Amino acid sequence: MSDERRKIVLNAIVRDYVATREPVGSKGIVERHKLSVSPATVRHDMSHLEEAGLIVQPHTSAGRVPTDAGYREFVDSIHEIKPLTIAERRAIEKVLTSAQDLDEILARATRALAKITGQVAVIQYPSLRRTALRHIELILLGQAHVLLVIITDEGRVEERTLVADRALDADDVASVRNCINAQCAGKQLSELDDAMAKVADDVPVALAELAQTVGHAVMHTLAADSEEHVVVAGRKNLAQYDADFNGTMSDMLDVLEEQVVLMRMLTHMDDGMAVHIGKENTEVELDNASVVSTSYSGTNQSSVARLGIIGPTRMDYHRTMSGVQAVASYLSHILSGTHESR
């Protein structure tokens, strides 16, 4: 019974400290959480928790506060993530479903996540390496100039202007477009070499050079490292947590400006819902922060990218995890085209 009660005491300390940022005392725990034991018994439990490195007493005669290990113990005890309220879910749905393209969807999703959690929200763009080609369009701009429009299965649109080796007409570009779409639609980057070989067999010999040029442009676009980046929102939320970062706020703000660092942070997170607390983070600038992240999927239902929040270790983990999961779910449904009003 004592072990179970100590878990209750630890959870109470975490919840109360998150709510007040004040060290938590034994009397307050008994009164606020209706424990049927004396403050002396709770103090005994707190001594064991302190010996285990889960809580610490910041000053003599003060109450206790959780350590990073204490937050970890608390987070690991969360077995079920409660959903957001109906009103919150409807608000997310309304914001995301009215967006017109991928850029707007991700921008809105990031702002919604920052607002729900009160933290800094970060969403990784779907990597063009992991997404598939949905369709290409070729538009004749002049006798030998063609606009290539590349559309991925995640709704991303890229444009390239190509120069052909000969004069073209509308029938020429239509023929190449149809051949490429027939062989390449739905294929990922790793599959495009074989698909383009079949295109070479299908197009008229006079158009083989154009088809090859288009194929190279598509593969180069899908492989471009520069396309992997993140969207950030809610930086101003950090202002309320200045004391929590122990003078490292400027380091945090620097991290939020570094796309490479944020990408590395997200890609090093565990699969599915993951919480990194304090020094568990790969970036030393986040030693006083927690990162809560999960993946979202696209058309083929496989994980394509991650989203999450960055905030102080003193955060409402239940609510934060609920917000992260909810936005990821809506984002996955919208990008996969399976969204239904819920």
Side-chain angles (χ1 to χ4, degrees):
M1 178 62 187
S2 60
D3 286 345
E4 187 61 32
R5 190 179 61 243
R6 285 167 193 162
K7 290 180 182 179
I8 293 172
V9 170
L10 175 62
N11 286 356
I13 292 172
V14 171
R15 291 177 185 275
D16 288 355
Y17 184 66
V18 165
T20 68
R21 204 179 179 274
E22 293 293 333
V24 183
S26 56
K27 184 178 178 181
I29 291 176
V30 171
E31 292 175 350
R32 283 190 294 271
H33 299 274
K34 312 298 182 186
L35 299 186
S36 56
V37 295
S38 68
T41 300
V42 171
R43 283 196 296 275
H44 181 71
D45 291 333
M46 291 167 77
S47 295
H48 281 276
L49 293 171
E50 194 167 5
E51 290 174 4
L54 302 178
I55 60 175
V56 66
Q57 188 175 26
H59 329 284
T60 305
S61 76
R64 270 62 166 190
V65 301
T67 62
D68 286 358
Y71 286 123
R72 167 52 57 199
E73 189 83 8
F74 175 81
V75 169
D76 288 346
S77 71
I78 300 175
H79 300 301
E80 183 178 354
I81 302 175
K82 295 180 181 179
L84 299 178
T85 65
I86 293 176
E88 288 170 329
R89 297 200 301 271
R90 285 177 177 168
I92 297 173
E93 180 180 20
K94 182 178 180 181
V95 166
L96 296 190
T97 54
S98 59
Q100 299 300 311
D101 55 31
L102 181 65
D103 291 337
E104 188 178 0
I105 289 171
L106 294 185
R108 290 188 178 200
T110 313
R111 291 196 297 269
L113 183 55
K115 184 176 181 179
I116 290 168
T117 62
Q119 312 291 353
V120 178
V122 182
I123 298 185
Q124 176 188 4
Y125 260 78
S127 170
L128 293 185
R129 299 185 189 201
R130 295 189 292 271
T131 55
L133 180 70
R134 177 187 294 173
H135 179 79
I136 69 151
E137 188 60 58
L138 293 177
I139 301 170
L140 192 60
L141 299 178
Q143 285 191 333
H145 289 80
V146 177
L147 176 65
L148 166 64
V149 182
I150 303 166
I151 305 171
T152 74
D153 62 349
E154 309 304 336
R156 193 154 189 176
V157 178
E158 298 289 331
E159 296 181 354
R160 300 289 184 271
T161 300
L162 308 178
V163 179
D165 63 328
R166 55 184 289 272
L168 302 169
D169 59 29
D171 289 339
D172 292 333
V173 296
S175 177
V176 172
R177 178 199 63 210
N178 293 339
C179 285
I180 291 178
N181 284 327
Q183 296 294 344
C184 300
K187 299 291 193 305
Q188 292 185 332
L189 177 62
S190 59
E191 304 170 305
L192 285 180
D193 271 335
D194 290 340
M196 285 306 302
K198 294 178 181 177
V199 170
D201 293 335
D202 292 345
V203 296
V205 174
L207 298 175
E209 185 71 24
L210 175 62
Q212 185 179 50
T213 299
V214 173
H216 286 163
V218 170
M219 288 187 281
H220 183 269
T221 300
L222 295 183
D225 288 338
S226 61
E227 301 301 340
E228 296 197 356
H229 61 283
V230 298
V231 189
V232 182
R235 291 178 179 86
K236 65 181 181 181
N237 290 334
L238 287 178
Q240 61 187 309
Y241 300 115
D242 187 55
D244 290 276
F245 288 107
N246 300 321
T248 62
M249 179 66 76
S250 61
D251 292 336
M252 280 288 299
L253 294 173
D254 287 343
V255 166
L256 296 177
E257 297 299 324
E258 295 292 337
Q259 289 277 323
V260 172
V261 174
L262 293 175
M263 282 292 301
R264 185 167 62 231
M265 176 196 77
L266 289 175
T267 54
H268 285 170
M269 299 291 283
D270 301 327
D271 291 339
M273 179 65 71
V275 180
H276 286 187
I277 300 169
K279 289 183 172 56
E280 294 174 354
N281 290 298
T282 56
E283 309 303 321
V284 295
E285 296 88 348
L286 300 180
D287 280 356
N288 292 317
S290 284
V291 179
V292 180
S293 171
T294 193
S295 54
Y296 68 90
S297 59
T299 302
N300 56 13
Q301 300 300 310
S302 63
S303 172
V304 295
R306 295 190 69 84
L307 60 80
I309 64 88
I310 304 172
T313 55
R314 185 184 65 89
M315 71 167 62
D316 185 340
Y317 288 95
H318 278 101
R319 179 169 178 77
T320 299
M321 293 166 73
S322 296
V324 168
Q325 179 172 272
V327 173
S329 177
Y330 276 104
L331 200 51
S332 296
H333 283 292
I334 290 169
L335 293 181
S336 65
T338 61
H339 174 75
E340 296 179 3
S341 182
R342 293 183 283 179

